[in-house]
Amino acid sequence: MSPPVAQQIITTMKIIMGADGTDEGQRRIQQLASNTVYFRTRLKQMGFIVYGSDDSPVVPMMLFMVAKVPAFSRAMREAGIAVVVVGHPATSVIESRARFCLSASLTKDMLDRVLTVIDRVGDQLTLKYSKLNPPRPLSGSKNNMEGEQNGGARMNGKKKQ
């Protein structure tokens, strides 16, 4: 290991442990944990399937179909958002995913902007596969899921049996 890399590790550990005389390290760890919980929870609420540990700031969101990997990557890039996508042969053919790497420096506004784009692209590419947390309209949306509120799904104004 080179001396500059070793010094960077030592300095980072001092900050995390508070040996630098500040609470900056603990503040960053708490912010990263908060960002992780918020981002993962929102993805799941939107109907995406998310793998990995709930505490991990590396968030794999399942795309499943190989053909959707480049489409998702392109749509996100066009929106100005960098995403790591992983597909076959790095994963099995049916386990393609996007991988989001969170940091403590991201603000809630930044996360919300990314989540809004992911939500839109997820609808366009039909990526919301979760049956545990069915997609819900964003607050203020005209679609209030009246079918669920009235005891059944509705299609074209008629109750589905």
Side-chain angles (χ1 to χ4, degrees):
M1 177 181 320
S2 70
V5 171
Q7 184 57 54
Q8 185 176 18
I9 292 169
I10 291 168
T11 301
T12 300
M13 292 307 296
K14 284 181 179 179
I15 292 170
I16 289 172
M17 296 183 319
D20 65 340
T22 71
D23 66 346
E24 183 67 18
Q26 288 303 307
R27 188 193 62 74
R28 287 185 187 195
I29 289 170
Q30 289 171 353
Q31 185 60 48
L32 179 58
S34 175
N35 285 352
T36 299
V37 168
Y38 178 73
F39 193 79
R40 283 179 173 275
T41 300
R42 288 294 297 129
L43 284 175
K44 290 174 184 177
Q45 287 172 343
M46 287 188 274
F48 294 101
I49 295 176
V50 178
Y51 277 9
S53 169
D54 285 342
D55 298 327
S56 175
V58 178
V59 183
M61 183 187 88
M62 301 310 292
L63 304 176
F64 292 106
M65 294 182 221
V66 176
K68 293 187 179 188
V69 172
F72 183 79
S73 179
R74 189 176 312 110
M76 296 301 288
R77 185 178 62 241
E78 287 171 358
I81 299 167
V83 178
V84 175
V85 290
V86 184
H88 185 72
T91 67
S92 72
V93 174
I94 60 168
E95 289 192 330
S96 298
R97 63 194 72 179
R99 194 173 283 149
F100 300 95
C101 300
L102 304 177
S103 99
S105 64
L106 296 171
T107 65
K108 185 174 178 299
D109 287 341
M110 290 173 175
L111 293 174
D112 284 340
R113 178 182 173 269
V114 170
L115 287 163
T116 298
V117 174
I118 293 169
D119 189 41
R120 178 180 49 81
V121 173
D123 286 338
Q124 291 170 345
L125 298 177
T126 316
L127 296 173
K128 298 177 181 181
Y129 302 110
S130 177
K131 298 199 184 313
L132 297 177
N133 292 308
R136 299 180 189 280
L138 298 175
S139 60
S141 173
K142 300 267 184 203
N143 175 4
N144 66 0
M145 299 183 79
E146 78 176 353
E148 285 187 16
Q149 291 174 358
N150 292 327
R154 293 189 180 269
M155 298 184 80
N156 301 327
K158 296 181 180 177
K159 188 170 183 178
K160 185 177 172 184
Q161 299 299 326

